[in-house]
């Protein structure tokens, strides 16, 4: 399945990924500086949430594309059940 993100969706996903990238960089710096464990974990959890939200946005876009154009998910002879199973597996990988 090919991902086709529109302008606003793409901007939102990229912003989330950049935010997570900055948070991860911050976590690394905090660990190197010997910062408080609670602060490190708080920032790590925030980075994890940002990555999860980016992943969910990508999956939601994929689901929307598949629902609006059934043929998108059926490339190479893929039927609806196989497409559904693939999307479910992707979704659950983030759960």
């Amino acid at each position: 399945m090919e991902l086709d993100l529109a302008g606003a969706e793409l901007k939102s996903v990229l912003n989330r990924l950049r935010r997570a990238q900055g948070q991860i960089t911050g976590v690394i710096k905090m660990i190197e500086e010997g910062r408080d464990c609670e602060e490190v974990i708080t920032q790590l959890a925030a980075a994890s949430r940002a990555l999860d939200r980016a992943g969910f946005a990508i999956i939601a876009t994929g689901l929307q594309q598949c629902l609006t154009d059934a043929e998108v998910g059926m490339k190479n002879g893929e039927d609806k059940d196989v497409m559904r199973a693939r999307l479910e597996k992707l979704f659950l990988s983030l759960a």
Side-chain angles (χ1 to χ4, degrees):
M1 175 179 13
E2 200 171 305
L3 182 64
D4 182 25
L5 292 174
E9 295 164 335
L10 178 62
K11 184 177 181 180
S12 174
V13 168
L14 290 175
N15 284 342
R16 289 179 194 277
L17 291 173
R18 286 186 184 107
R19 184 178 310 125
Q21 183 179 34
Q23 289 167 327
I24 291 169
T25 299
V27 168
I28 292 168
K29 185 176 179 183
M30 291 171 78
I31 291 170
E32 291 173 345
E33 293 173 350
R35 298 274 295 271
D36 179 66
C37 179
E38 188 175 339
E39 292 176 23
V40 172
I41 297 300
T42 299
Q43 284 303 309
L44 192 57
S48 179
R49 283 191 304 274
L51 289 172
D52 286 345
R53 288 181 181 191
F56 286 131
I58 291 169
I59 289 173
T61 299
L63 287 170
Q64 182 179 15
Q65 289 173 5
C66 289
L67 292 173
T68 57
D69 185 2
E71 290 184 12
V72 169
M74 293 186 220
K75 289 183 179 176
N76 300 323
E78 184 177 58
D79 67 18
K80 288 181 182 181
D81 291 334
V82 172
M83 179 183 66
R84 182 185 177 281
R86 285 182 42 217
L87 290 170
E88 184 177 327
K89 182 179 177 182
L90 286 172
F91 184 76
L92 290 174
S93 71
L94 292 173

